[in-house]
Amino acid sequence: MKAAVFVGAGRPLAIQQIDVPRPGPGQLLVRVKRCGVCGSDLHLTEAHAAWQVPHGTVLGHEFAGEIVELGEGTSDIWREGDRVAALPYVGCGRCRECLNGYPFHCPETLSLATGDLIGAFSEYAVIGARETARVSEHLSWEQAAFTEPVAVGIRAVACAGITLGARVLIVGAGPIGLSAAACAKLSGAGAVVVCARTDRHADRAVAMGATEFLLNDADLRRNFIRHAGGPPEIVIECAGVPGMLDLCCDLAEKRGRVVIAGGCNGKDPLNVLTPLCKELTFRFAVCYTIREFALAERLIASARINPMPMYDGEVSLHQLPARFEELRRNKDACKLMVNLDA
Ligand SMILES: [Zn+2]
Ligand SMILES: [Zn+2]
């Protein structure tokens, strides 16, 4: 099969012919239909990344496809031809984290996102039967491939403990920030403000459910209060760049909550006196549980979340290497997808 392989920082991904992986017990083989390109794919292949994936890695963790082969012990639930989206983690199925439905934390987990297993920038991928969600007939493959990033938004909002009418500020207007905005609105927040350093994603934020988009500039605090009637009780950090922790703490209401969902690949120094004097609560959020992942599919299928304002079109696998390098420079894009049928 063809796959886009990471062959070293500073070099474009290489389209190579590699063996189709075989599904082991409890696993499924899927024919990948669509796979989104994620900011983390770019970060994990950067020359100066604090953490870089090994050469030979096939990335791609935001995907949907069709089951083409069943591993042992999976035929009670799954059939060939089933439309699915899957977590990019295959847990052991026995440990406490797996039994709690959180395979990201399983000590033996195998990740498609970081190279333990072949990722979905390829024609086929092996996934875990437990970690797989059925995709509604009504969904396009593009909508289905948004299950993963929407699940990240669900997790962030679950960690935020939003109450009815809450004033919520989301920092960052990428796919995670926009998904979190949609989920915060669904959770009953009164004001959901997305802020970013440029307004290039302002229309997308409002289309996803934000009650307002604001520029992250010197007037942000004043503009937030003008819109929401008070400072944010909950701040969700989805930008993942240094300086954001201080910003979140500066803006948050006393005894507010700061949820960090942006993956800053490096250090972000914090002036401790601000959260101390405000008695802020910090909470970090990573990935999602199996249940949150399945919920993402249902929210999209029932049209309670429309992820398509994030969509920027598709490329073929052969076009991916050049576009992948372009995405490192072009910050206008939100979510580009690879069409493995093209
Ligand atoms: Zn991602
Ligand atoms: Zn486990």
Side-chain angles (χ1 to χ4, degrees):
M1 67 171 181
K2 287 195 286 289
V5 182
F6 173 60
V7 289
R11 299 170 61 193
L13 303 175
I15 304 302
Q16 295 179 359
Q17 201 70 32
I18 61 173
D19 291 339
V20 176
R22 304 311 308 263
Q27 298 178 346
L28 308 164
L29 182 70
V30 285
R31 173 85 171 84
V32 180
K33 293 291 182 178
R34 299 291 185 282
C35 182
V37 179
C38 180
S40 72
D41 299 325
L42 301 168
H43 296 315
L44 290 170
T45 54
E46 264 164 16
H48 303 293
W51 195 57
Q52 198 189 78
V53 291
H55 295 193
T57 297
V58 177
L59 293 165
H61 62 267
E62 304 179 356
F63 59 98
E66 214 170 75
I67 296 176
V68 290
E69 194 181 335
L70 303 174
E72 193 191 316
T74 61
S75 60
D76 51 339
I77 299 176
W78 300 109
R79 296 277 178 276
E80 286 173 21
D82 282 351
R83 291 156 51 89
V84 295
L87 283 77
Y89 300 96
V90 183
C92 74
R94 300 177 307 275
C95 73
R96 199 170 123 157
E97 297 296 344
C98 284
L99 294 176
N100 282 332
Y102 213 151
F104 173 83
H105 290 305
C106 167
E108 293 172 37
T109 201
L110 297 173
S111 163
L112 282 82
T114 52
D116 303 327
L117 295 172
I118 294 169
F121 293 157
S122 66
E123 292 175 283
Y124 298 90
V126 161
I127 56 178
R130 270 184 311 274
E131 291 87 355
T132 294
R134 201 173 293 282
V135 163
S136 159
E137 293 291 319
H138 310 297
L139 290 190
S140 67
W141 287 118
E142 292 80 17
Q143 289 173 304
F146 272 113
T147 302
E148 199 273 353
V150 168
V152 178
I154 290 175
R155 180 77 194 164
V157 164
C159 292
I162 291 173
T163 48
L164 286 179
R167 299 186 296 265
V168 178
L169 173 65
I170 291 162
V171 179
I176 302 311
L178 297 183
S179 294
C183 295
K185 195 75 190 35
L186 268 186
S187 301
V192 179
V193 174
V194 173
C195 74
R197 283 173 181 159
T198 75
D199 62 1
R200 60 168 76 95
H201 296 319
D203 292 345
R204 301 189 205 244
V206 172
M208 291 289 295
T211 56
E212 180 73 291
F213 173 90
L214 293 174
L215 275 176
N216 175 5
D217 61 15
D219 295 327
L220 177 56
R221 175 196 305 277
R222 199 180 55 203
N223 288 336
F224 184 96
I225 292 171
R226 186 177 293 155
H227 171 72
E233 295 150 316
I234 291 163
V235 183
I236 305 179
E237 197 289 299
C238 301
V241 293
M244 291 302 113
L245 293 189
D246 271 342
L247 176 79
C248 292
C249 294
D250 284 345
L251 294 169
E253 168 81 294
K254 289 179 193 67
R255 287 174 296 279
R257 181 175 269 246
V258 176
V259 176
I260 297 110
C264 182
N265 195 351
K267 297 198 179 200
D268 187 356
L270 172 69
N271 178 359
V272 174
L273 281 183
T274 312
L276 179 103
C277 292
K278 288 187 177 179
E279 292 194 309
L280 300 182
T281 299
F282 272 65
R283 172 70 198 254
F284 288 79
V286 68
C287 289
Y288 28 70
T289 61
I290 290 173
R291 193 172 163 177
E292 287 160 345
F293 192 89
L295 175 61
E297 189 281 333
R298 286 200 303 278
L299 291 178
I300 299 170
S302 60
R304 279 177 287 173
I305 288 183
N306 172 19
M308 295 315 282
M310 295 189 276
Y311 183 62
D312 283 317
E314 62 175 43
V315 292
S316 69
L317 190 61
H318 282 277
Q319 292 167 325
L320 175 63
R323 285 299 293 279
F324 197 78
E325 294 311 306
E326 197 186 305
L327 285 175
R328 295 188 197 280
R329 301 180 293 273
N330 172 11
K331 305 288 181 206
D332 285 344
C334 189
K335 185 59 68 189
L336 180 74
M337 287 194 186
V338 186
N339 178 350
L340 278 303
D341 281 333

